[in-house]
Amino acid sequence: MMKNLLVVESPTKARTLKKYLGPEFQIMASVGHVKDLPNNKLGVDMKNGFTPEYVTIKGKAKILKEIKTAGNKADAIYLAPDPDREGEAIAWHIAQELKSEGKEIYRVLFNEFTGKAIKQAISSPQSLNQDRFESQQARRILDRLVGYQISPLLWSRVRRGLSAGRVQSVALRIICERERMIHAFQPEEYWSLTAHLRSDDPPSFKARFSKYDGKKTELKNEAQTQSIVHELKDETFTVGKVVRKKKNKNPPPPFTTSLLQQEAYRKLRFPAKKTMSIAQSLYEGLELGDKGQTGLITYMRTDSFRLSSEAVSEAREFITRNFGIDYLPEKPVTYRSPKRAQEAHEAIRPTSTLLKPDDIASFLTGEQFALYSLIWKRFLACQMNPAILDQTQADIRAGRATFRASGSVVVFKGFTTLYEETSEEESEQEKNKDAILPPLKKDQLLSLIDLDPAQHFTQPPPRFTEASLIKELEANGIGRPSTYASILANIRGREYVTITKGRFKPTELGFLVIDLLMKGFPDILDIAFTAQMENNLDRVESGEITWVKVLEEFYHSFEKDLEKAQMEMKAEVETTLPCPKCKKLLTIKSGRNGLFLACSGYPECSFTANFSRDEKGTIVMEETADLGKQQGTCEICGKPMIVKTGKFGPFLACSGYPNCKNTRPFSKEKDIDAQEEHTQIPCKKCGGTMIVKRSRNGQKFLACENFPRCKYTEPISTNISCPEKGCTGKLVERVSKKGRKFFACDQYPKCRFAIWDEPVNQTCPECGTKVLVVQRSKAGDPTLKCRKKGCGFKRPFEEMKTSDNPALKENDSNGV
């Protein structure tokens, strides 16, 4: 029997395809990319046409060997990774390995995993797309040139471990610029005046002041507003001009990648990375009982609004049958895709509208059901009739003033019976647009219930959420649909930003890095330049320009900037603050303990200080009055302890350093030696009361009050169970030899589980890992994150009162 080899990316796709293709196909999975540039060096020969040096990814040699063995036995080879640039690169690298077998190699593109689509793709295979592969290769090399040559500069100037990305850095610049706009914003006072009115018919309604003496007038202060209030108290309120009109509210287009990520964040609060992960599982296929492994949505990386005629026909039949002919437009609705959209892909839609979310809910997780419902409803809604609203706008006259009342009534729900699009930043006018007005006619007299003046202040632009940042990136042509999730995941994973109430806030480190990069690499950080690079990569894919030419044009200017930055880039950013000692300007520098202020006159002046920023972004120097003061004596050598400062603030260090390296926490109120807390916990050895004490390296522990007669001690437990499988221990607070606090299992050495960050008794909603951790930094609010490497879950951490925290209740009840 003829045997064909079909290679896909994931094992899940392989299982779905086996259902439709039968025994004549051997289906294997590459499990993502098989080759890439090396990790330990640049891997690009810039003197030889930017030739890349590809190596087999660690762990993929066995997979490649198995694919080559199967290819040697097969009659024909079909390569079917995802239908995008990354998928083309995977197919290309596998094809390079299989060429020696001398077999015919076909490229297969699956836009959806349904029986009809799969068989159609297999029956009409294509050739490998060299232009698409070279576009991916150009992007990969561009990112490598930027990352591997700028990052070492940041390591030497700021600190090791930092990174710079070609697109990631531009996204960070956008976040930082928005923060500076917020800092520079000057609120302006304005007033509103609302008339609460009643006609002969219910309901009562509101009208807002809009004109004075027939001219549009803004109320700027209280005196002006109160003057008009006083003037209108005895005036008659009469209906003037009334305008009634019908307005169509059109349905939104089907989902592209960016629109799906934005709406999933707004409606479901899914980060972009999570949205794409769930969408991937819906695309690759899920087990649906009698239906078997079935793909539920079309390919989820697309910027096109195109829909197949078959899908639209099925949707129109579904709408007629389930909603009625009134909801069906005369002709199928089409949407114009953005310029340079990849029209080979459809918009994101369900593979069949007959797979209703409620009917298959038992086979989906809660998150899969939520996202699938969103896609299913949005697709059907985009093919339904508009909603029809009756809008009324009435001018109300009162003396020399004019008020305006607006309202609307939905007379036909149209697509809104199924789907309502959400808006992140809703204006006051939008919030009031659905107000219901009573029947009003010209010259009708109205009764004044109340005049309500209110003071307001203009608001600064909001910080970006994931949804609004994706929208901003797309509007500026930064990145592609397939890159938004990774861009945002990288930003969230760095110390360059914190997430405050779901919004990106740059840290001091983020500001420092962006300031240095903008000065050293103006083109790389230029939004228009980055957008043009994206456009050039699209042109490579369409065959308009060669990938080598794109790289040559880029590197010509980048190389000059790189050479200049290596010579001139300083590890500091100048401020406008004068040095308290010598009056020269202070600069922001980075040290092993974080960012700090230092005198630009160093080494002649060695002044340093910690700093923070106020709500306007102004740098505020922290008090240094305690630094150098003596407080207590060293319990090791007996010399005085001196106040010093470090990454985590002030601490006490022995004045006998370096002979004595003893340190301990600093307390402004009293010497740490005197700090003891009595508890109600009984000593397990003698029955006495346990006391909270500190060791000489600062670790808190419980000790018996009857010391030295009773020397029983025990660590302070968090009451959080150890997450190691099979372990019955609890996590306790400990301190390392260098004085750093960590948390470890109390069953040591039987169980060696330990973490540096503070544990929280919660389970990761993305990967299921037990016990999350809190990361704290001076640069921003504490962050709750997953401790599993590779999991990007992270959100702001809300501090709980002791009585609200189950992990602390036991200690609290015992007096700790």
Side-chain angles (χ1 to χ4, degrees):
M1 180 185 287
M2 178 181 177
K3 194 78 170 180
N4 301 308
L5 173 64
L6 177 68
V7 182
V8 292
E9 283 185 51
S10 77
T12 304
K13 290 180 191 173
R15 288 194 296 271
T16 303
L17 288 167
K18 283 177 183 176
K19 170 186 171 184
Y20 297 103
L21 294 181
E24 65 268 25
F25 276 88
Q26 180 182 358
I27 303 170
M28 303 183 73
S30 70
V31 195
H33 281 274
V34 293
K35 289 193 172 184
D36 196 7
L37 300 175
N39 288 326
N40 57 353
K41 58 180 178 179
L42 185 64
V44 179
D45 186 352
M46 290 174 287
K47 295 180 180 179
N48 189 23
F50 299 95
T51 304
E53 178 191 338
Y54 288 114
V55 297
T56 301
I57 296 172
K58 187 177 180 180
K60 294 299 179 72
K62 182 181 178 183
I63 293 174
L64 266 179
K65 183 178 179 182
E66 291 172 349
I67 291 174
K68 289 176 71 174
T69 300
N72 189 39
K73 298 176 183 177
D75 294 299
I77 298 168
Y78 296 82
L79 302 179
D82 284 348
D84 58 11
R85 292 173 183 168
E86 297 300 319
E88 201 66 37
I90 295 171
W92 196 271
H93 290 143
I94 293 174
Q96 294 296 314
E97 292 289 321
L98 295 175
K99 272 188 175 179
S100 60
E101 309 299 332
K103 305 290 175 63
E104 193 71 37
I105 297 177
Y106 302 102
R107 178 75 167 106
V108 179
L109 304 176
F110 295 125
N111 187 55
E112 59 185 85
F113 281 91
T114 59
K116 181 181 178 181
I118 290 169
K119 290 170 184 175
Q120 185 177 350
I122 292 291
S123 63
S124 55
Q126 304 176 13
S127 301
L128 289 168
N129 189 319
Q130 184 169 350
D131 290 334
R132 186 176 295 148
F133 163 67
E134 289 178 348
S135 177
Q136 187 276 344
Q137 181 169 260
R139 175 187 291 277
R140 187 72 187 94
I141 293 173
L142 277 171
D143 292 342
R144 174 56 64 96
L145 293 176
V146 172
Y148 269 49
Q149 294 187 86
I150 296 182
S151 295
L153 273 176
L154 295 178
W155 298 350
S156 62
R157 268 55 169 195
V158 185
R159 73 172 189 226
R160 291 197 64 82
L162 299 181
S163 70
R166 185 178 60 87
V167 181
Q168 166 197 317
S169 296
V170 177
L172 178 59
R173 174 189 175 175
I174 291 172
I175 293 171
C176 290
E177 287 184 344
R178 174 61 60 88
E179 191 69 18
R180 284 181 166 135
M181 287 172 64
I182 294 170
H183 290 162
F185 182 81
Q186 295 294 332
E188 294 182 4
E189 180 185 16
Y190 70 97
W191 284 70
S192 64
L193 180 58
T194 304
H196 296 261
L197 301 165
R198 184 191 300 119
S199 71
D200 295 335
D201 300 300
S204 58
F205 63 98
K206 300 176 184 178
R208 286 181 69 110
F209 173 85
S210 63
K211 294 180 181 178
Y212 194 78
D213 285 337
K215 297 178 181 178
K216 189 171 180 63
T217 303
E218 295 181 357
L219 302 176
K220 296 186 178 296
N221 53 57
E222 184 177 12
Q224 178 191 12
T225 307
Q226 290 296 346
S227 173
I228 294 175
V229 170
H230 181 74
E231 180 183 325
L232 297 180
K233 280 191 173 178
D234 297 322
E235 292 288 350
T236 301
F237 284 74
T238 308
V239 178
K241 182 180 178 183
V242 179
V243 177
R244 294 184 178 90
K245 59 181 179 181
K246 278 189 167 51
K247 182 182 178 182
N248 285 357
K249 181 180 180 182
N250 293 318
F255 280 133
T256 59
T257 303
S258 67
L259 291 178
L260 175 64
Q261 290 171 348
Q262 292 173 53
E263 192 75 343
Y265 180 83
R266 289 192 291 253
K267 282 186 179 290
L268 308 175
R269 281 295 179 252
F270 287 173
K273 183 179 179 182
K274 183 175 185 177
T275 296
M276 296 308 291
S277 175
I278 298 169
Q280 183 87 31
S281 68
L282 297 175
Y283 163 68
E284 292 180 351
L286 299 168
E287 187 66 36
L288 300 183
D290 295 340
K291 294 183 177 66
Q293 195 84 8
T294 304
L296 295 180
I297 65 170
T298 53
Y299 190 56
M300 65 285 164
R301 293 185 180 93
T302 177
D303 54 6
S304 170
F305 289 139
R306 185 181 71 82
L307 295 168
S308 71
S309 56
E310 294 87 352
V312 172
S313 296
E314 185 182 77
R316 288 174 62 82
E317 290 176 14
F318 186 94
I319 292 166
T320 304
R321 190 167 56 252
N322 291 274
F323 295 93
I325 195 68
D326 291 341
Y327 287 83
L328 186 72
E330 288 185 14
K331 297 179 180 179
V333 185
T334 58
Y335 298 87
R336 181 178 294 178
S337 298
K339 187 179 179 182
R340 302 196 74 87
Q342 305 295 308
E343 292 291 355
H345 297 158
E346 286 189 63
I348 304 170
R349 61 167 177 82
T351 54
S352 172
T353 52
L354 302 179
L355 291 171
K356 294 188 284 187
D358 290 340
D359 291 347
I360 60 174
S362 59
F363 302 106
L364 309 180
T365 66
E367 291 172 342
Q368 288 172 336
F369 174 79
L371 192 65
Y372 179 66
S373 297
L374 200 64
I375 295 168
W376 186 85
K377 289 179 180 179
R378 176 87 166 216
F379 168 63
L380 278 175
C382 84
Q383 293 302 311
M384 297 174 78
N385 268 325
I388 301 175
L389 290 78
D390 266 346
Q391 288 191 326
T392 301
Q393 185 173 281
D395 286 345
I396 313 295
R397 299 190 303 265
R400 299 165 67 185
T402 303
F403 289 76
R404 175 159 289 177
S406 300
S408 63
V409 176
V410 177
V411 294
F412 176 64
K413 286 188 174 182
F415 77 94
T416 62
T417 196
L418 182 65
Y419 186 88
E420 281 276 14
E421 193 173 23
T422 52
S423 174
E424 200 164 52
E425 311 297 342
E426 197 173 36
S427 68
E428 192 67 31
Q429 185 177 354
E430 289 174 323
K431 290 177 183 177
N432 295 327
K433 65 184 177 181
D434 292 328
I436 298 175
L437 299 180
L440 297 173
K441 59 185 179 181
K442 195 174 184 329
D443 298 328
Q444 179 180 353
L445 292 178
L446 302 171
S447 300
L448 176 65
I449 301 171
D450 188 27
L451 279 173
D452 181 20
Q455 183 187 37
H456 308 277
F457 291 92
T458 54
Q459 297 296 311
R463 294 188 179 110
F464 288 105
T465 63
E466 283 211 0
S468 58
L469 183 57
I470 289 172
K471 187 175 182 179
E472 186 77 8
L473 292 172
E474 186 177 38
N476 284 286
I478 307 299
R480 299 287 299 156
S482 59
T483 64
Y484 293 139
S486 61
I487 291 170
L488 267 61
N490 284 338
I491 292 173
R492 289 176 65 106
R494 305 291 177 190
E495 292 181 32
Y496 299 152
V497 298
T498 59
I499 310 296
T500 304
K501 296 181 180 179
R503 296 180 181 270
F504 291 105
K505 180 181 180 181
T507 62
E508 288 299 336
L509 180 62
F511 277 128
L512 177 65
V513 167
I514 283 300
D515 289 342
L516 292 175
L517 292 181
M518 287 184 67
K519 190 173 182 180
F521 300 92
D523 284 346
I524 295 294
L525 270 291
D526 183 72
I527 293 173
F529 178 84
T530 305
Q532 183 58 45
M533 286 303 305
E534 295 294 341
N535 186 51
N536 286 341
L537 292 172
D538 289 343
R539 292 174 65 202
V540 172
E541 184 169 353
S542 61
E544 299 173 38
I545 189 173
T546 66
W547 69 278
V548 175
K549 184 172 178 59
V550 169
L551 291 173
E552 285 175 345
E553 290 178 353
F554 166 81
Y555 204 72
H556 177 70
S557 62
F558 176 67
E559 188 175 28
K560 293 178 182 176
D561 289 341
L562 187 65
E563 291 175 356
K564 186 177 179 182
Q566 286 171 339
M567 295 174 60
E568 299 179 3
M569 182 184 281
K570 296 181 179 180
E572 59 187 30
V573 172
E574 199 171 78
T575 74
T576 57
L577 290 177
C579 174
K581 288 186 177 180
C582 71
K583 305 307 177 184
K584 290 184 178 179
L585 291 180
L586 295 176
T587 61
I588 298 175
K589 288 189 175 184
S590 177
R592 63 179 184 177
N593 293 322
L595 302 186
F596 62 96
L597 291 174
C599 182
S600 58
Y602 180 85
E604 288 79 14
C605 178
S606 58
F607 176 81
T608 62
N610 288 333
F611 71 96
S612 59
R613 290 184 192 262
D614 62 19
E615 60 183 13
K616 300 302 294 181
T618 304
I619 293 174
V620 179
M621 193 187 313
E622 292 187 358
E623 291 292 332
T624 58
D626 290 314
L627 296 183
K629 275 190 175 182
Q630 294 185 11
Q631 187 180 96
T633 56
C634 176
E635 61 268 35
I636 296 178
C637 70
K639 291 186 178 181
M641 299 293 282
I642 297 174
V643 181
K644 292 192 174 184
T645 187
K647 182 177 181 180
F648 301 103
F651 66 97
L652 291 173
C654 181
S655 59
Y657 181 88
N659 296 323
C660 179
K661 298 180 180 179
N662 183 31
T663 62
R664 65 187 184 204
F666 165 68
S667 170
K668 280 191 175 183
E669 289 75 23
K670 54 184 177 179
D671 187 351
I672 202 73
D673 296 334
Q675 293 188 37
E676 289 186 354
E677 301 174 43
H678 289 264
T679 76
Q680 297 175 4
I681 303 174
C683 174
K684 295 177 182 177
K685 189 173 182 180
C686 72
T689 300
M690 300 296 283
I691 298 173
V692 178
K693 288 196 172 186
R694 286 182 186 266
S695 67
R696 66 187 182 192
N697 62 2
Q699 179 178 356
K700 283 185 177 182
F701 65 95
L702 294 175
C704 182
E705 66 177 349
N706 295 322
F707 179 85
R709 180 168 52 85
C710 177
K711 297 182 180 180
Y712 177 76
T713 63
E714 64 180 59
I716 295 179
S717 176
T718 63
N719 288 317
I720 297 175
S721 298
C722 177
E724 286 292 303
K725 191 174 181 180
C727 181
T728 58
K730 300 280 188 182
L731 298 185
V732 296
E733 180 183 326
R734 298 193 185 279
V735 173
S736 69
K737 292 179 179 179
K738 294 185 177 181
R740 185 177 174 188
K741 183 169 69 173
F742 68 99
F743 298 86
C745 181
D746 61 8
Q747 299 297 308
Y748 178 86
K750 183 179 177 182
C751 176
R752 294 179 175 268
F753 178 85
I755 51 176
W756 289 112
D757 296 310
E758 177 185 340
V760 175
N761 196 20
Q762 293 184 26
T763 301
C764 177
E766 292 191 11
C767 70
T769 297
K770 292 181 179 179
V771 181
L772 304 182
V773 295
V774 178
Q775 281 195 340
R776 302 178 187 274
S777 68
K778 291 183 67 177
D781 297 332
T783 302
L784 182 69
K785 63 173 291 186
C786 182
R787 60 186 175 82
K788 183 179 179 182
K789 189 175 181 180
C791 179
F793 172 75
K794 184 185 289 188
R795 65 173 172 79
F797 177 66
E798 295 182 5
E799 303 282 4
M800 291 187 288
K801 297 176 182 177
T802 302
S803 57
D804 295 335
N805 190 340
L808 300 178
K809 277 186 176 179
E810 182 178 326
N811 278 346
D812 184 55
S813 64
N814 288 328
V816 176

